[in-house]
Amino acid sequence: MQKEKYEVHFGEDDFWINGFRFNAVHIMPKIPDEITEVDFYMDTGEEICLLRVRNSLLNKVTFCQGEITYIIIEKTLQFEIKKELKMIAEILKKVKIPHNFKEDISFSI
């Protein structure tokens, strides 16, 4: 059901990284210094999530449950955003996105 509702956000400008399909919600800045935060729809193959990447010194991941799983990655961005997403996708593969959690989950990366 979730795929039916959010599939409309994916299209020709999608890109695939480590088995995840990403579609930028906004135009992506090219230079990490220009990024404060950037949002993506992310298809994990099992569910659609909203991913927010924040340029931050915190180095943490937060999973927020709602109608759609909302993932906030806070880390120092040093590379072009697609390279950053490759590293983030590897982190998310290791973490395994939790399902049916009741409260927000945060942890350091």
Side-chain angles (χ1 to χ4, degrees), residues 14 20 22 24 46 65 89 95 107 109:
D14 298 349
F20 294 135
F22 294 91
E46 296 177 12
Q65 185 62 281
V95 168
F107 55 90
I109 51 174

Side-chain angles (χ1 to χ4, degrees), residues 29 32-38 52-56 75 77:
D33 293 345
E34 295 176 356
I35 300 172
T36 53
E37 60 185 36
V38 61
R52 172 165 285 166
V53 179
R54 285 188 182 144
N55 200 352
S56 168
K75 70 181 293 296
L77 301 177

Side-chain angles (χ1 to χ4, degrees), residues 88-104:
I88 289 167
E90 290 191 20
I91 292 167
L92 293 175
K93 285 251 187 214
K94 289 178 188 170
V95 168
K96 304 236 188 246
I97 297 170
H99 299 284
N100 302 322
F101 54 96
K102 304 266 187 268
E103 298 177 15
D104 294 355

Side-chain angles (χ1 to χ4, degrees), residues 11-101:
E12 294 176 7
D13 56 347
D14 298 349
F15 50 96
W16 292 84
I17 298 174
N18 290 347
F20 294 135
R21 179 171 57 159
F22 294 91
N23 186 284
V25 174
H26 313 286
I27 295 172
M28 292 186 301
K30 299 280 186 220
I31 304 167
D33 293 345
E34 295 176 356
I35 300 172
T36 53
E37 60 185 36
V38 61
D39 297 320
F40 299 90
Y41 286 100
M42 183 176 78
D43 183 350
T44 69
E46 296 177 12
E47 69 177 309
I48 307 293
C49 302
L50 186 60
L51 173 68
R52 172 165 285 166
V53 179
R54 285 188 182 144
N55 200 352
S56 168
L57 299 174
L58 292 179
N59 289 320
K60 89 176 187 180
V61 177
T62 302
F63 292 92
C64 304
Q65 185 62 281
E67 182 179 325
I68 185 171
T69 300
Y70 183 43
I71 304 167
I72 303 167
I73 304 282
E74 297 177 84
K75 70 181 293 296
T76 303
L77 301 177
Q78 300 173 15
F79 307 105
E80 186 259 341
I81 194 66
K82 286 186 182 179
K83 287 182 184 177
E84 293 287 350
L85 285 173
K86 184 174 182 177
M87 291 186 289
I88 289 167
E90 290 191 20
I91 292 167
L92 293 175
K93 285 251 187 214
K94 289 178 188 170
V95 168
K96 304 236 188 246
I97 297 170
H99 299 284
N100 302 322
F101 54 96

